[in-house]
Amino acid sequence: MNNEYTLIETLADEKWDRFVEDSLNGTIFSNSIYLKASSVKFKLFYCYKKEELRAAVSVVEDAKGESLILDDLVIYNGIMYNKPTNKQNHAQQFSEQFKIQEFIANELTKLYKNIELNLHPSIVDIRAILWVNYGTELPKYQPDIRYTSYIDISDFKTSKKLEDISIYNKASTSRRQQIRYAIKKEYKTKIISDVSLLIEFYKKTMDRQDIDVENEKLQKMEKLVSGLLGQNMAKIYASYDEKDELGSIALFGWDNKRAYYIFGANDPAKRDGHTGTNVLWEAFYDLSKMGIDEVDMEGINSPNRGWFKLSFGGNIVPYYEIKLGE
């Protein structure tokens, strides 16, 4: 029994948001505004070492509150470590994180029947989670490696020409060609506030792929986007072709660390154009001017969307999806 740490349920308030902002592992997806706007059944915990706050945990519960589940709108959650204390050296930081992780992983098994978490890519050591119930017949955590792509946009704001941009030179030949075509044909990307238009385009995109999207999910998306726009935590970018016809829309949100590509959608009738490329490329310019240096493309785990996102020249970054079930 570990009496060194305690796990205490907490509120989605300003103190929570400050912790998320300060933690290397904290993201917009654990921010109180995002969670409340997402309509998920979330629960938050602090992990204390005696009186000292050392970590936090953000989770999504099922309807009954008996299990932890993954949700399409919450890309990362789980454990977030506090900043190391001044007295800790490098090795001591790793040691403490191991102990915290072991304690939290065990505590969650006492609270929930089944557990699903998507840990942030910055959490690379999950040994303590995997060793829970080691040597027993009890359920054990199972990891699945997922992938996203990080794109460096820090040089967009200072570039004078395309070749000045690092990821342009790393992008695929076809992606560079699409970027040049959009510029030559004078495509325009605007920032819009019409949330319903984004949802309409998303539904069109899913319909083209024969994916049936429930109205409940569309309503949740609309509430989330409206909530983020209202708090100046996101922008909707819309790309128009040379005929001034709308072809693609993308939503980017951000925190104090990076921006996140949250949704994207295209008009199926405009798929042969260049708006799908242009909307992201122009968004990178705008986000860079805001002082954001990095974009998380939020998953490259499906073949078609994965290749498209990677064609922009970003780096591949792994993260862990963790599951425990009876």
Side-chain angles (χ1 to χ4, degrees), residues 217-266:
K217 180 177 179 179
L218 296 175
Q219 290 167 4
K220 284 176 65 177
M221 289 173 61
E222 189 164 2
K223 182 186 174 188
L224 173 63
V225 178
S226 298
L228 294 178
L229 294 183
Q231 295 294 325
N232 192 32
M233 293 173 64
K235 288 182 182 180
I236 303 173
Y237 297 90
S239 181
Y240 298 80
D241 63 17
E242 68 272 33
K243 298 177 182 177
D244 201 31
E245 294 177 350
L246 179 59
S248 300
I249 303 181
L251 176 77
F252 284 84
W254 56 80
D255 53 31
N256 63 320
K257 303 173 184 74
R258 59 186 62 82
Y260 304 85
Y261 174 57
I262 299 177
F263 303 126
N266 304 294

Side-chain angles (χ1 to χ4, degrees), residues 84 172 185 296:
S172 70
K185 295 178 182 179
D296 183 341

Side-chain angles (χ1 to χ4, degrees), residues 119-131:
L119 301 179
H120 187 259
S122 57
I123 296 182
V124 296
D125 180 9
I126 60 167
R127 293 171 300 154
I129 295 175
L130 300 183
W131 293 347

Side-chain angles (χ1 to χ4, degrees), residues 9 25 29 82 87 100 108 136-137 154 168 170-171 173 182 185 209 224 258 300 308:
E9 186 178 346
N25 325 113
F29 305 108
N82 204 347
K87 298 177 182 177
I100 291 169
L108 291 179
T136 74
E137 297 299 318
S154 59
Y168 176 81
K170 294 177 181 178
T173 301
K185 295 178 182 179
Q209 299 174 36
L224 173 63
R258 59 186 62 82
I300 52 170
F308 173 73

Side-chain angles (χ1 to χ4, degrees), residues 49-179:
K49 182 179 183 181
K50 296 181 180 178
E51 302 298 321
E52 187 179 13
L53 178 56
R54 299 309 303 141
V57 188
S58 173
V59 297
V60 178
E61 295 182 333
D62 64 2
K64 294 182 178 180
E66 296 176 348
S67 294
L68 300 183
I69 59 173
L70 301 178
D71 189 281
D72 289 346
L73 298 181
V74 181
I75 309 307
Y76 307 118
N77 65 358
I79 299 171
M80 295 169 283
Y81 300 115
N82 204 347
K83 292 180 292 187
T85 66
N86 294 331
K87 298 177 182 177
Q88 290 178 320
N89 61 35
H90 195 62
Q92 287 171 327
Q93 291 171 30
F94 283 135
S95 177
E96 184 191 48
Q97 288 181 1
F98 184 96
K99 291 176 182 177
I100 291 169
Q101 187 182 109
E102 180 182 39
F103 170 73
I104 291 172
N106 273 298
E107 287 299 298
L108 291 179
T109 66
K110 301 173 187 176
L111 298 173
Y112 299 103
K113 290 181 179 179
N114 304 291
I115 296 171
E116 295 181 336
L117 301 170
N118 263 345
L119 301 179
H120 187 259
S122 57
I123 296 182
V124 296
D125 180 9
I126 60 167
R127 293 171 300 154
I129 295 175
L130 300 183
W131 293 347
V132 168
N133 293 332
Y134 180 79
T136 74
E137 297 299 318
L138 295 171
K140 299 167 185 64
Y141 285 95
Q142 301 297 324
D144 184 18
I145 300 178
R146 313 291 286 169
Y147 298 91
T148 188
S149 178
Y150 279 7
I151 294 180
D152 180 357
I153 61 168
S154 59
D155 51 6
F156 272 72
K157 57 182 174 287
T158 57
S159 64
K160 300 289 189 251
K161 58 184 187 297
L162 288 175
E163 290 74 18
D164 292 338
I165 298 172
S166 174
I167 65 161
Y168 176 81
N169 298 306
K170 294 177 181 178
S172 70
T173 301
S174 62
R175 195 59 50 216
R176 292 198 301 269
Q177 188 178 58
Q178 292 282 314
I179 293 165

